[in-house]
Amino acid sequence: MRHQAHHLEVTTTELPAPRLEIREIDGGEFALVWPIFHAVVAAGDTYAYDPAMTFEEARDLWTRPPARCFAARRDEVVVGAYCLRPNQPGLGDHVANAGYMVAEDARGQGIASAMCAHSLEVARAAGFRAMQFNFVATTNEGAIRLWQRHGFAIVGRVPAAFRHRRRGPTDVLVMHRLL
Amino acid sequence: MRHQAHHLEVTTTELPAPRLEIREIDGGEFALVWPIFHAVVAAGDTYAYDPAMTFEEARDLWTRPPARCFAARRDEVVVGAYCLRPNQPGLGDHVANAGYMVAEDARGQGIASAMCAHSLEVARAAGFRAMQFNFVATTNEGAIRLWQRHGFAIVGRVPAAFRHRRRGPTDVLVMHRLL
């Protein structure tokens, strides 16, 4: 095998990472995330959250400990956010859970990917040993491929667990990776 | 097919159902369930709940709406209890979740089975379309067989998601059935 040339071509469908600043926020800053949160939940095509959820409910869900919220800014505009939390209490709290949202006009620009990479680093630094997504709609094909590129495997599939607002009963995937 | 004899033998490993009264309780009666709850959680071999969980935390978790709590009594003694709730909010709230606990000295007597059957009826009556268990430890072999007998299928397996107090990192099953 000596002298074998190593012309490994790395191809990816990922767009170049945008210049993003991602940092943790508290409930006092959640108003910056709310327009994105509200639009994503009202669309009813990815999250199970009640589309009529209020600002206060969303803020508490995403910023009240042990939940932690991170906002991604580009040119000082919040273009995405994610929430990191233990997926279970007590004897299951070594597994993290995260949910990501990107502003509609900022999609397809690598922001979810950058937030996912960030969340994996934060989770590892916080001592989590794995990360689990409980509720990935099978219709959300771009997200599934993205999580797979970030090392997640599909470990479960729950039939018709999501009432997709346009497509109706939709299967949901459980995805997981070690950290 | 006429005149075909129907000598269907029903065999089961299930013990005869005990004379149980199962009915809903509120937070004011949760003290009757607490000794069982506390012992199950302290054992750390089935639930992820923090083994140091307080009475108030347990009571709120199992009785505060939308959670509903049911206690099983035999000879006026509470021998088991279960909690029924939506497994997700909003667009996932058609899937129920339930957790069952049986007093240690009342195990192997069909009480979990009777509570499971009861919870399926209650869930159906409440309008749920399916039931999902998110966290069935693979070490809990009796429970897995019991849920399978009650129509549940294994739809996922999460590696090492449970820190079993005696056996260490333990896989967890996701189980599901339609109602």
Side-chain angles (χ1 to χ4, degrees), chain A residues 46 100 112 116 133 136-150 152 173 175:
Chain A
T46 52
Y100 311 84
C116 183
F133 304 146
V136 182
T138 50
T139 43
N140 201 356
E141 294 171 7
I144 295 166
R145 282 194 302 272
L146 181 58
W147 308 148
Q148 286 175 324
R149 285 205 297 277
H150 281 279
F152 287 81
L173 305 180
M175 299 186 74

Side-chain angles (χ1 to χ4, degrees), chain A residues 97-167:
Chain A
N97 169 255
Y100 311 84
M101 295 183 180
V102 177
E104 192 169 4
D105 60 2
R107 290 182 193 160
Q109 297 165 31
I111 293 167
S113 183
M115 291 197 298
C116 183
H118 190 272
S119 69
L120 292 169
E121 280 179 37
V122 171
R124 213 176 273 121
F128 289 108
R129 308 299 300 270
M131 191 180 288
Q132 178 176 341
F133 304 146
N134 304 301
F135 205 87
V136 182
T138 50
T139 43
N140 201 356
E141 294 171 7
I144 295 166
R145 282 194 302 272
L146 181 58
W147 308 148
Q148 286 175 324
R149 285 205 297 277
H150 281 279
F152 287 81
I154 296 169
V155 298
R157 183 180 182 120
V158 188
F162 180 42
R163 302 194 306 278
H164 190 295
R165 268 209 156 174
R166 297 186 314 278
R167 303 201 197 178

Side-chain angles (χ1 to χ4, degrees), chain B:
Chain B
M1 289 290 186
R2 58 203 171 103
H3 303 305
Q4 186 182 8
H6 287 285
H7 295 296
L8 182 64
E9 295 275 323
V10 178
T11 59
T12 170
T13 58
E14 202 75 55
L15 291 167
R19 195 168 303 173
L20 279 183
E21 183 215 9
I22 303 176
R23 64 173 179 79
E24 190 161 9
I25 65 165
D26 61 19
E29 292 177 283
F30 190 74
L32 297 167
V33 170
W34 173 242
I36 298 170
F37 192 105
H38 179 63
V40 166
V41 171
D45 55 3
T46 51
Y47 279 81
Y49 298 150
D50 183 352
M53 201 171 180
T54 67
F55 169 78
E56 288 75 18
E57 288 166 341
R59 181 195 61 201
D60 291 355
L61 189 68
W62 270 40
T63 66
R64 184 177 284 179
R68 299 172 63 185
C69 186
F70 295 80
R73 288 174 171 83
R74 188 174 54 189
D75 300 332
E76 301 302 318
V77 176
V78 172
V79 290
Y82 74 87
C83 176
L84 181 74
R85 67 177 80 238
N87 195 50
Q88 294 284 345
L91 303 177
D93 70 359
H94 58 294
V95 181
N97 169 255
Y100 312 82
M101 294 183 180
V102 177
E104 191 168 4
D105 61 2
R107 291 183 193 161
Q109 298 166 31
I111 293 168
S113 183
M115 290 197 298
C116 183
H118 191 271
S119 68
L120 292 169
E121 279 180 40
V122 171
R124 211 175 276 122
F128 289 108
R129 307 299 299 270
M131 191 179 289
Q132 178 176 340
F133 303 146
N134 304 299
F135 205 87
V136 182
T138 50
T139 44
N140 201 355
E141 294 170 7
I144 294 166
R145 280 194 302 272
L146 181 57
W147 308 149
Q148 287 174 324
R149 282 204 299 276
H150 280 279
F152 287 81
I154 296 168
V155 298
R157 182 181 182 120
V158 188
F162 180 43
R163 301 194 306 280
H164 190 295
R165 268 209 155 173
R166 297 186 313 279
R167 302 200 198 179
T170 297
D171 289 2
V172 158
L173 304 180
V174 181
M175 300 187 73
H176 175 274
R177 67 156 287 172
L178 297 175
L179 295 178

